[in-house]
Amino acid sequence: MRALMTTLILAATLCLAGADWTQFRGADTSGVAPDQNLPIEIGPSIAWTTELPGRGLSGPIVVGNRVYLTASSGYAQDRLHVLCFDTDSGKPLWERQFWATGRTMCHPKMSNATPTPASDGERIFAFYSSNDLICLDLDGNLQWFRGLNHDYQNASNSLGMSSSPIVVGDTLIVQVENDSQSLAFGIDVATGENRWKHDRPVMVNWTSPILLRGKSRSDDLAVLQSGKGLVAVQPRTGAEVWRYDEPCDTIPSAAVTDGVLYAPSKGLTALQPDAQGGSPKVLWQESRLKPITPTAIAYDARVYSIASSGVLHCADTANGKGLWQMRLMVEIGDKPSRGMFSATPVAAGGHLYIVNEDGVLMVVKAGGEKGEIVAHHEFGETILASPAIANGALYLRSDQHLWKIARR
Amino acid sequence: MLLRFTLRAGCGVALLLAVSAMLSGAELSETLKTIKSVGPEGKGNAQAAAAWKQLAAGRASSIPTILAALDDANPLAANYLRNAIETIAQRELQQEGKLPAAELEAFLKETRHEPRARRLAFDLLARADKTAPDRLIPGMLNDSSVELRRDAVQRLIAQGDKQFAQQKPDDAKATFAAALAGARDDDQVQIIKKRLEGLGEKVDLPRHFGFLMTWQLVAPFDNTEKKGLNTVYPPEQGIDLNAEYEGKEGMKIRWSPHTTDNEYGIVDVAKALSSFKGAVSYATTEFVSDKEQPVELRLGTPNSWKVWLNGELLFSREEYHRGMSLDQYKMRGTLHPGRNVILVKVCQNEQKEEWAQRWQFQLRVCDAAGTAVLSADRAGK
């Protein structure tokens, strides 16, 4: 009985306090955090603001009491920065710089520091549009360095690359896909050496790998998305487990929760992977749920996607039936906010946190019979990076600043 | 237990520091050699990581030696070395509050060293000696480091603006002209050009950047279903400007001269010939060099392409309509004394969207810092 009570108390504490946010869309790539205590009113909850060098569209990650971030600077965006801050104070703890070894050209809206870094809890894996991959320990000591465009000289995209690597077990999954030389890698986190390298569809692709949880950690799979479909692979060997051969979008990635994938295919397609390794079962398809740039998010039996013009759709995860839709718009001064969104939403504590490109963060009540923006805050800077939620706080970055938002 | 671990870890770090601090010259050399052996696909990573630990535990006095190792380090190894230097510098500044400023300045001033290593030396020096930027940057207008040069140019732009505001147009004109001579980054060149033209001066951008303006063009060869990039058409087997070829759909096609008047050297194939779709074009020109010299050929194009220098393929890339920019692709080559032949293959696909109609390229010849290398027979001064 005492053990049960202890477990329950621990679980409740974890839910209140939250957990680390170790990669794009969090440790399980769902975009959902267990935190129950995030603030609703943003302005009064800004715990600290710190200045950043250069530019960056990568999201922050959080490991313990440190937040890690990447940036790139210089006329050619060829100076790569890895930054570490104290989560309590926002004080910079260390910064390391590197020289890009790959092509740095990208669309003016992007920057070299577009992919979100990842961590296995012991190491930081910083990845850039130039396909430079840097592994540091948590104190900034270099463990290894890879130049994937240096190694594979046509593995680049003149518009820039954005796929964020993820850690599955002790393998880092990296997608480098474009019109010329498309590759996916399983990289040994300890040495930086290739465990496997796959040729991938030769076409542009800005999506990120997805973590599909198995019954145990050793059953976890990595799902690779491209314009040709989805492929689930064993992280250590790269062996294919199943595939879905219908075209998928090449900007938003698939959402995942409770073992179901919500792929941006034919609008949005819910897929139930077959535990035996067969093709995944199509649960439903709904064309009206097609996400444009941000990845959809599944949260508390609802799936949300942002369509063109900034319309947020909410549907039932069971059948894809639309429940409500609303325009993500608030009054800024005497003008309506614009409907341009790049950052993928995140969710916790019964709310979605959605930021538009003009830096207006909207807090949307999740669920319900109609959409409701319960609070918003204007940061006044362009924001294209997805936020992080960790240990009771929300972290958000622009080119110039990193903010921590938490209840006081 | 925790205390024991802390003591053990602390002793370990101290021991490592002591061992590293005692690295002999030969050991340091071997450590650097191990790191410089790191190669593609993670080869040598494990050995480099072990060597890095020894190197990064060293004292500030080892920084100039590590900086010098950057002179012949490959791009991957260079980042190991850079990180070791930064790690040492951060620790030394925290513990000792100083860096070897005199040695860093001496390294910076030795221009035979690798440009980025010198910039790193400057960045460290600026942290140790706050007077360094004002003392040193103004003299770096023609530095081999593009970043150091950029800082010097920026100061001259500010100085020219100040002179102009003080109604000293002749002084401003001279300052902007000096700034232009040093400028290699297009954003700065654009600013200076605008200022100089406002003062009645002309700026020859093709000459400044070294764009190749005069070409012979031939098209269309077939690129249906994007199969043309890797199809060897006659111009790749030998250039005969008097030849007639069978082109796409049986068209009889010949070389025709073309000189672009675009100030960024853009050759618009669609305008110069015709806006063929699913087509391959070739462009060739001669470049006269008065000596054997390494150069960079820098290409910009939104199309798939190949470039040859004197028959040697420098690079090939398949990518359509993902943007075009100055210096989009950089290729190294060697010019021979006398006439050199440059051949460019530029392919257009069959996309019909309005944004997918560009069929063009720009090419310039320059050194590693982006300073124009001009053909000896180029007209004008």
Side-chain angles (χ1 to χ4, degrees), chain A residues 77-88:
Chain A
Q77 289 279 302
D78 55 359
R79 193 80 76 92
L80 313 177
H81 303 248
V82 186
L83 306 147
C84 175
F85 301 93
D86 176 60
T87 54
D88 291 333

Side-chain angles (χ1 to χ4, degrees), chain A residues 215-331:
Chain A
K215 285 181 181 172
S216 67
R217 287 291 184 262
S218 60
D219 297 321
D220 288 350
L221 300 178
V223 179
L224 311 177
Q225 180 179 323
S226 76
K228 298 283 189 188
L230 302 174
V231 179
V233 299
Q234 291 178 345
R236 256 191 162 256
T237 64
E240 181 179 317
V241 179
W242 56 257
R243 62 189 305 127
Y244 167 75
D245 286 323
E246 293 293 337
C248 290
D249 290 346
T250 55
I251 296 177
S253 306
V256 63
T257 191
D258 297 331
V260 176
L261 289 159
Y262 301 88
S265 172
K266 298 181 177 178
L268 201 67
T269 297
L271 296 168
Q272 176 73 64
D274 179 355
Q276 307 306 314
S279 296
K281 180 182 177 186
V282 176
L283 301 176
W284 50 259
Q285 291 179 324
E286 178 51 65
S287 61
R288 285 174 297 181
L289 296 177
K290 177 181 173 62
I292 295 300
T293 300
T295 291
I297 182 168
Y299 179 49
D300 274 356
R302 306 286 178 93
V303 61
Y304 303 87
S305 72
I306 300 174
S308 59
S309 305
V311 173
L312 177 67
H313 291 269
C314 171
D316 190 330
T317 53
N319 53 26
K321 181 184 172 189
L323 297 172
W324 50 259
Q325 64 183 55
M326 67 177 291
R327 189 170 296 280
L328 291 166
M329 190 268 287
V330 293
E331 294 290 327

Side-chain angles (χ1 to χ4, degrees), chain A residues 70-374:
Chain A
T70 62
S72 54
S73 66
Y75 174 66
Q77 289 279 302
D78 55 359
R79 193 80 76 92
L80 313 177
H81 303 248
V82 186
L83 306 147
C84 175
F85 301 93
D86 176 60
T87 54
D88 291 333
S89 64
K91 181 185 167 192
L93 296 178
W94 54 259
E95 176 185 355
R96 297 287 183 266
Q97 295 184 22
F98 299 87
W99 292 302
T101 68
R103 294 181 59 222
T104 58
M105 177 184 173
C106 53
H107 187 280
K109 193 171 173 179
M110 291 176 65
S111 81
N112 198 1
T114 292
T116 295
S119 175
D120 64 352
E122 298 176 23
R123 309 169 182 87
I124 303 300
F125 309 99
F127 192 50
Y128 298 82
S129 173
S130 56
N131 292 316
D132 289 296
L133 178 59
I134 302 160
C135 177
L136 304 167
D137 71 13
L138 301 184
D139 294 323
N141 297 309
L142 185 64
Q143 306 300 294
W144 47 263
F145 185 101
R146 291 287 305 273
L148 298 180
N149 188 198
H150 174 272
D151 293 357
Y152 313 100
Q153 295 204 337
N154 258 317
S156 68
N157 181 341
S158 294
L159 286 175
M161 310 283 281
S162 69
S163 182
S164 301
I166 62 167
V167 178
V168 186
D170 58 1
T171 302
L172 186 71
I173 309 296
V174 184
Q175 286 182 261
V176 179
E177 303 186 11
N178 57 87
D179 289 326
S180 198
Q181 189 178 20
S182 273
L183 301 164
F185 302 86
I187 292 176
D188 184 334
V189 294
T191 65
E193 293 170 352
N194 294 348
R195 284 206 162 108
W196 50 266
K197 173 170 72 77
H198 287 178
D199 289 330
R200 295 278 295 155
V202 180
M203 58 198 307
V204 287
N205 185 10
W206 292 278
T207 67
S208 299
I210 304 124
L211 170 59
L212 185 62
R213 290 285 187 208
K215 285 181 181 172
S216 67
R217 287 291 184 262
S218 60
D219 297 321
D220 288 350
L221 300 178
V223 179
L224 311 177
Q225 180 179 323
S226 76
K228 298 283 189 188
L230 302 174
V231 179
V233 299
Q234 291 178 345
R236 256 191 162 256
T237 64
E240 181 179 317
V241 179
W242 56 257
R243 62 189 305 127
Y244 167 75
D245 286 323
E246 293 293 337
C248 290
D249 290 346
T250 55
I251 296 177
S253 306
V256 63
T257 191
D258 297 331
V260 176
L261 289 159
Y262 301 88
S265 172
K266 298 181 177 178
L268 201 67
T269 297
L271 296 168
Q272 176 73 64
D274 179 355
Q276 307 306 314
S279 296
K281 180 182 177 186
V282 176
L283 301 176
W284 50 259
Q285 291 179 324
E286 178 51 65
S287 61
R288 285 174 297 181
L289 296 177
K290 177 181 173 62
I292 295 300
T293 300
T295 291
I297 182 168
Y299 179 49
D300 274 356
R302 306 286 178 93
V303 61
Y304 303 87
S305 72
I306 300 174
S308 59
S309 305
V311 173
L312 177 67
H313 291 269
C314 171
D316 190 330
T317 53
N319 53 26
K321 181 184 172 189
L323 297 172
W324 50 259
Q325 64 183 55
M326 67 177 291
R327 189 170 296 280
L328 291 166
M329 190 268 287
V330 293
E331 294 290 327
I332 300 297
D334 57 352
K335 292 181 180 175
S337 61
R338 293 195 309 147
M340 301 287 284
F341 292 81
S342 281
T344 287
V346 293
H351 293 90
L352 303 174
Y353 292 80
I354 303 173
V355 62
N356 77 3
E357 292 187 358
D358 292 334
V360 179
L361 176 62
M362 300 173 212
V363 184
V364 176
K365 190 171 178 13
E369 295 181 356
K370 65 173 186 175
E372 182 185 0
I373 298 171
V374 295

